[in-house]
Amino acid sequence: MADARASSASSAASPTFDEVFCGLLPRLYRRAVMMAGSRQSAEDVVHEAYLKLAARPQRFLAHPEPYAYAFTAVLSVARDTYRKDRRQVLVEGMEGVEEAGAGGGAGAVSGASGGWDGGVERRQAEIEAVRLLGRLSHRQAGIVILVDLDGYTIDQAAKIMKVHRGTAARHRARALDRLRAFLVESEHGQAGR
């Protein structure tokens, strides 16, 4: 009887797999959207990562940084999904993503006057970030997300991605160079209109 109380008390004190994972969901969804390109794809990626981690919950719970462990699973699933989707024939381009951020309604009008725009400007910036990160390899996007958005150091990001520090730094440098080149291209394209 005392053993049953002790085991139930210890399980009540330590969080369950679902509690820890659900606590990370908002952050994982935001990062998955940046890698997958759409909300629906991100939900699928996070769900697949959940299933992957749920197969061995003790590893996830024992990890010193559960977010890093979960992010690695999300990155892996996103990369696998990208590889699978790349082999399929594309029917439509990315025009739908750009159009989704263009509609602002009344919020866009108030944004033009310098006031609060209802979050339209932020949403357009997020769409642009997703578009740009989508042009990078998954490793490059992963390193940029970890270092530049999540605030990890290069050493921490390399450990999370399971690569050497120099490899992580090289991926990040190449990613930032490509992002700068994409921005210069888009500025020249807009100037020519």
Side-chain angles (χ1 to χ4, degrees), residues 34-35 71 75 132-147 149 161 171 175:
M34 292 178 169
M35 289 184 287
F71 178 82
L75 181 64
L132 289 172
L133 286 171
R135 297 178 78 178
L136 300 175
S137 73
H138 279 86
R139 280 199 177 186
Q140 289 174 341
I143 291 291
V144 168
I145 287 170
L146 286 171
V147 174
L149 298 177
M161 300 278 295
H171 280 306

Side-chain angles (χ1 to χ4, degrees), residues 44-178:
D44 292 342
V45 165
V46 171
H47 178 67
E48 288 297 319
Y50 171 85
L51 295 175
K52 212 176 193 185
L53 295 173
R56 294 193 178 123
Q58 66 280 4
R59 283 188 180 179
F60 174 71
L61 293 173
H63 197 275
E65 198 167 349
Y67 169 76
Y69 195 80
F71 178 82
T72 303
V74 167
L75 181 64
S76 174
V77 170
R79 185 177 47 241
D80 293 345
T81 302
Y82 170 77
R83 287 177 180 160
K84 182 181 75 177
D85 291 346
R86 191 174 59 180
R87 288 177 272 188
Q88 297 183 12
V89 178
L90 294 176
V91 178
E92 297 178 23
M94 290 294 291
E95 289 82 25
V97 172
E98 293 170 4
E99 292 169 6
V109 173
S110 68
S113 66
W116 184 67
D117 66 352
V120 172
E121 187 175 335
R122 179 181 174 164
R123 181 67 183 135
Q124 287 176 335
E126 289 172 354
I127 290 170
E128 181 66 9
V130 168
R131 186 182 72 79
L132 289 172
L133 286 171
R135 297 178 78 178
L136 300 175
S137 73
H138 279 86
R139 280 199 177 186
Q140 289 174 341
I143 291 291
V144 168
I145 287 170
L146 286 171
V147 174
D148 298 304
L149 298 177
D150 287 339
Y152 287 96
T153 65
I154 291 286
D155 291 328
Q156 292 168 327
K159 190 173 181 180
I160 291 168
M161 300 278 295
K162 297 179 182 158
V163 295
H164 188 272
R165 182 198 192 288
T167 303
R170 189 172 56 249
H171 280 306
R172 180 171 178 262
R174 288 179 181 168
L176 294 177
D177 287 344
R178 288 186 70 190

Side-chain angles (χ1 to χ4, degrees), residues 1-37:
M1 184 74 135
D3 291 334
R5 279 189 223 138
S7 66
S8 67
S10 68
S11 66
S14 62
T16 66
F17 172 80
D18 285 337
E19 290 171 344
V20 174
F21 193 85
C22 287
L24 299 174
L25 275 177
R27 194 170 172 194
L28 290 174
Y29 276 131
R30 283 192 305 271
R31 300 312 180 217
V33 167
M34 292 178 169
M35 289 184 287

Side-chain angles (χ1 to χ4, degrees), residues 128 131 179-193:
E128 181 66 9
R131 186 182 72 79
L179 290 174
R180 285 184 197 103
F182 295 148
L183 291 173
V184 168
E185 277 179 27
S186 67
E187 285 177 8
H188 287 307
Q190 289 177 356
R193 288 184 184 178

